[in-house]
Amino acid sequence: MVSIDDMLEAYYDCRKKKRRTASAVVYEMDYESNLLSLCNRINTRTYAPGKSICFVVTRPRYREVFAASFEDRIVHHYIGLRMEPLFEQVFSPRTFNCRKWKGQLYGVNMLRSDILECSNNYTTPCWIMKLDLKGFFMSIDKRILADMIESFITERYNGIDKEDLLYLCQVVISHEPEKNCERHSPIEYWDKLPANKSLFTNGEGKGVAIGNLFAQLFANFLLNELDWYLEDLGIHYHGRYVDDFYCISEDKHLLLSAVPLIRSKLNKLGLQLNEKKFYFQHCTKGIEFTGAIIKPGRTYCSNRSITNMRAAIMRLNRAKNAYQATKATESINSYLGILRRCNEYATRCKMLRMISHEAFRWVYIKGHYEVLAMKNKYKPIYRIKKGLSNGNRRADRITH
């Protein structure tokens, strides 16, 4: 039985960094009654996911995203709090996405270290192969995933809410959000999506919604079998970020002969390799992975990140108020963080010099082109303090 304490824990985890969103505010207005109702529906097996929001992002390519209701996200966090520690016990150390203390930078550093070690610091020949999956999230077979999750929980989970966890996992995996959603993008955007890239057209029983927490966790669990399978094939230098993975070996034929075996393994999971995204080169030719380009002795940022940073600078130049300037500055600083970890000092200088003179009324550059900072008088906390200070002075004048 799900307890209210367990649901409160999931609620607090869900609203972290999201408390100011409209859905979180509405739910918090009567969160105790809402959570009690949610517990009752789960315990009586009458819980059903609510209406989702569906939209299409256009950059870097058209992609369909579903956003679950706030209550459904609480359920996803409830599942995540119980499953994530168990997943970490079985996950390969060579998968980087959606894991604490890992991520894109960790993956780039691992790839660089693997190349240096396998090639003996570029003194002996080695080869790099990079592969990708075709329409990964939209091609996941729900039945295969549900069976794997059920077996995993039955074998490894020992909590008193084991039956509830099994029930909730089956509900969220089998849920079809495309049948109960609001579209928040122009309908013609879906015409730009291939049939296998949308839940509306990819086939019955296929696909999980991009944008949900459980989808990221369960998809990582599904591909964990591939990570360990590469070890069984004798490929010890490998890494994966979502569905993008690399293999490195000094034996060229080992990598090439592994491709049909990998394809066969993926077919058993209901997945396919993307034949159009196959990369095979000598290690000195360089490789792009998670937004970075690694070459002997240096690392560059991908052209896509540079283009996105340029777009953020243009938004700053067009800013009409402090809020718009703040949002653009936050975006620019995220790209500066990426550039600082690459050999891109000249690029940082070039990009920040694109900021117009008018925009410098809001911001200034700190350090050696390291950070773009908002001026104090435009920071939200400063404006709040200034408003309180003015209010106190007005109260003093009225009193006296």
Side-chain angles (χ1 to χ4, degrees), residues 81-149:
L81 287 170
R82 281 146 186 79
M83 298 296 289
E84 194 170 0
L86 298 178
F87 284 159
E88 286 297 324
Q89 295 175 13
V90 300
F91 276 177
S92 165
R94 292 181 165 275
T95 179
F96 318 120
N97 63 294
C98 299
R99 299 182 67 186
K100 293 179 180 178
W101 315 117
K102 296 189 184 292
Q104 288 179 288
L105 180 60
Y106 186 95
V108 171
N109 290 337
M110 175 73 80
L111 172 55
R112 185 189 299 113
S113 175
D114 285 347
I115 294 173
L116 291 175
E117 187 172 334
C118 186
S119 67
N120 196 18
N121 199 15
Y122 291 100
T123 59
T124 57
C126 81
W127 304 84
I128 304 174
M129 179 173 69
K130 192 174 77 164
L131 302 167
D132 199 354
L133 302 188
K134 187 176 182 179
F136 173 51
F137 282 98
M138 297 301 169
S139 61
I140 291 176
D141 190 305
K142 291 183 178 182
R143 182 188 56 80
I144 293 176
L145 178 59
D147 290 345
M148 290 176 63
I149 292 292

Side-chain angles (χ1 to χ4, degrees), residues 86-321:
L86 298 178
F87 284 159
E88 286 297 324
Q89 295 175 13
V90 300
F91 276 177
S92 165
R94 292 181 165 275
T95 179
F96 318 120
N97 63 294
C98 299
R99 299 182 67 186
K100 293 179 180 178
W101 315 117
K102 296 189 184 292
Q104 288 179 288
L105 180 60
Y106 186 95
V108 171
N109 290 337
M110 175 73 80
L111 172 55
R112 185 189 299 113
S113 175
D114 285 347
I115 294 173
L116 291 175
E117 187 172 334
C118 186
S119 67
N120 196 18
N121 199 15
Y122 291 100
T123 59
T124 57
C126 81
W127 304 84
I128 304 174
M129 179 173 69
K130 192 174 77 164
L131 302 167
D132 199 354
L133 302 188
K134 187 176 182 179
F136 173 51
F137 282 98
M138 297 301 169
S139 61
I140 291 176
D141 190 305
K142 291 183 178 182
R143 182 188 56 80
I144 293 176
L145 178 59
D147 290 345
M148 290 176 63
I149 292 292
E150 182 178 3
S151 299
F152 182 80
I153 295 175
T154 302
E155 178 183 347
R156 291 182 171 268
Y157 189 73
N158 298 313
I160 59 174
D161 59 344
K162 186 173 185 175
E163 293 300 320
D164 302 294
L165 185 60
L166 282 167
Y167 164 72
L168 289 175
C169 287
Q170 292 296 323
V171 169
V172 299
I173 292 174
S174 61
H175 176 50
E176 298 174 313
E178 69 275 13
K179 295 183 178 180
N180 183 21
C181 67
E182 294 179 4
R183 301 200 196 203
H184 283 203
S185 292
I187 194 68
E188 57 267 19
Y189 280 13
W190 274 269
D191 296 334
K192 301 179 184 295
L193 289 170
N196 66 334
K197 292 295 183 72
S198 171
L199 289 181
F200 296 98
T201 55
N202 67 331
E204 193 73 21
K206 293 280 189 178
V208 294
I210 298 176
N212 290 336
L213 173 64
F214 86 90
Q216 305 292 330
L217 289 174
F218 287 3
N220 218 11
F221 170 73
L222 181 65
L223 285 181
N224 184 54
E225 288 200 11
L226 173 64
D227 299 330
W228 291 112
Y229 184 66
L230 293 175
E231 292 283 342
D232 295 338
L233 294 177
I235 302 173
H236 303 301
Y237 298 107
H238 62 90
R240 179 177 61 80
Y241 193 91
V242 194
D243 60 340
D244 192 6
F245 62 101
Y246 68 84
C247 303
I248 304 174
S249 176
E250 66 279 1
D251 187 347
K252 179 178 181 179
H253 300 289
L254 173 65
L255 295 179
L256 293 175
S257 62
V259 175
L261 299 175
I262 293 172
R263 185 183 294 113
S264 176
K265 179 67 174 178
L266 290 172
N267 287 340
K268 294 178 182 178
L269 298 175
L271 304 171
Q272 291 182 322
L273 283 176
N274 190 336
E275 306 296 346
K276 295 181 179 179
K277 293 185 178 180
F278 176 80
Y279 177 90
F280 191 92
Q281 283 286 0
H282 192 271
C283 64
T284 56
K285 300 296 183 181
I287 180 174
E288 181 179 348
F289 187 66
T290 66
I293 301 170
I294 300 171
K295 292 191 174 184
R298 59 206 188 275
T299 303
Y300 298 131
C301 194
S302 68
N303 291 335
R304 178 189 298 174
S305 296
I306 300 298
T307 301
N308 291 342
M309 183 178 180
R310 184 180 293 110
I313 290 174
M314 293 302 102
R315 290 198 300 273
L316 175 61
N317 291 341
R318 296 192 301 268
K320 301 298 183 183
N321 52 53

